[in-house]
Amino acid sequence: MKYLIFGVILLLQGSCVQGQKNTEEKEVDYVVDIFFKQYAYLLRRSIEYDIENDRFKYEVQEFIENHKEDAPGVDTLINPFFHSNERDGPIILHPYLFNNAQDRVIIMILTKGVGLSGKPVESVHYVLGKKEDDKWTFRMKEAHVRGFHYEGGHPLLSDTEMSLRILRTFINWGYMPVKEVKIHDKFFEKGW
């Protein structure tokens, strides 16, 4: 009888732990599902914007090609998108991070280089855009670059995976609510 009671107690504890584990897995699945809905929503808005405003991507490309800034420690101007870009040209990552009115945007520009150790280094620069009188003006977000370094034989990340990681960061910073598919316009008023 003592062993029977002990066995029932063990079974009850196991089912409680299993129920807790299932609840945690469902929560993780829910958060992942919402995140991919957020990504799909933003990607769709970006593609639709490109289709409806075919000049936009050319304006962004023109900014990328013509932007100059001071080189650190040198008295000259450089283009940061081409200066250290040794593997492919600058790549405009999607999605664009628009506000609701689509008159403010954060654009991620990927450059691919090689570090001092000879290993790949990828950097994502942020270009901020503002539309006034049907004209876009762009500027770099100073002191904000997301780097990806590959040491020890780690595989290179795809452009999409980098976009997803950066989007997750922006959501955590308040661009979107963590568990909702909507954009916080106040995010752009805080310096973005």
Side-chain angles (χ1 to χ4, degrees):
M1 184 68 171
K2 182 168 45 171
Y3 294 112
L4 181 63
I5 294 173
F6 181 70
V8 169
I9 291 173
L10 283 178
L11 285 173
L12 288 175
Q13 283 181 331
S15 65
C16 289
V17 169
Q18 185 64 33
Q20 182 180 3
K21 183 178 176 184
N22 286 341
T23 303
E24 290 171 1
E25 286 175 359
K26 287 178 185 175
E27 178 66 21
V28 168
D29 289 344
Y30 172 74
V31 170
V32 170
D33 187 46
I34 289 294
F35 177 64
F36 281 108
K37 286 180 181 176
Q38 290 169 322
Y39 174 72
Y41 171 75
L42 296 172
L43 187 60
R44 180 180 178 162
R45 288 184 76 201
S46 297
I47 292 170
E48 286 174 349
Y49 193 85
D50 273 343
I51 291 169
E52 295 169 5
N53 303 280
D54 57 349
R55 181 87 188 110
F56 179 73
K57 59 185 153 207
Y58 297 109
E59 292 177 62
V60 173
Q61 189 64 39
E62 186 178 322
F63 173 81
I64 291 169
E65 291 172 1
N66 297 318
H67 179 72
K68 301 279 191 244
E69 61 184 37
D70 288 326
V74 183
D75 207 16
T76 187
L77 295 175
I78 62 165
N79 183 317
F81 301 113
F82 292 99
H83 176 68
S84 63
N85 200 27
E86 301 163 357
R87 302 173 18 242
D88 299 328
I91 299 166
I92 301 170
L93 297 179
H94 283 83
Y96 307 134
L97 305 178
F98 282 109
N99 65 349
N100 286 303
Q102 292 185 322
D103 60 1
R104 303 275 306 266
V105 67
I106 302 166
I107 301 168
M108 301 173 285
I109 311 295
L110 171 66
T111 59
K112 299 180 177 189
V114 178
L116 296 175
S117 65
K119 303 288 185 193
V121 175
E122 298 172 340
S123 301
V124 177
H125 301 266
Y126 304 106
V127 172
L128 307 180
K130 187 174 188 178
K131 186 177 182 181
E132 294 178 326
D133 301 324
D134 283 338
K135 172 107 175 89
W136 281 99
T137 56
F138 300 101
R139 66 180 176 86
M140 294 284 289
K141 177 68 174 175
E142 293 185 29
H144 280 78
V145 176
R146 175 78 182 262
F148 297 91
H149 305 270
Y150 304 99
E151 297 293 332
H154 292 285
L156 299 178
L157 298 176
S158 69
D159 298 355
T160 303
E161 186 170 351
M162 280 186 263
S163 295
L164 288 169
R165 288 180 181 208
I166 293 168
L167 176 59
R168 180 82 251 164
T169 300
F170 273 96
I171 289 170
N172 289 340
W173 287 345
Y175 174 67
M176 299 178 92
V178 174
K179 295 182 181 181
E180 294 180 54
V181 181
K182 72 178 191 178
I183 297 167
H184 284 304
D185 281 337
K186 289 186 178 187
F187 180 78
F188 290 89
E189 296 167 11
K190 297 177 185 176
W192 282 95

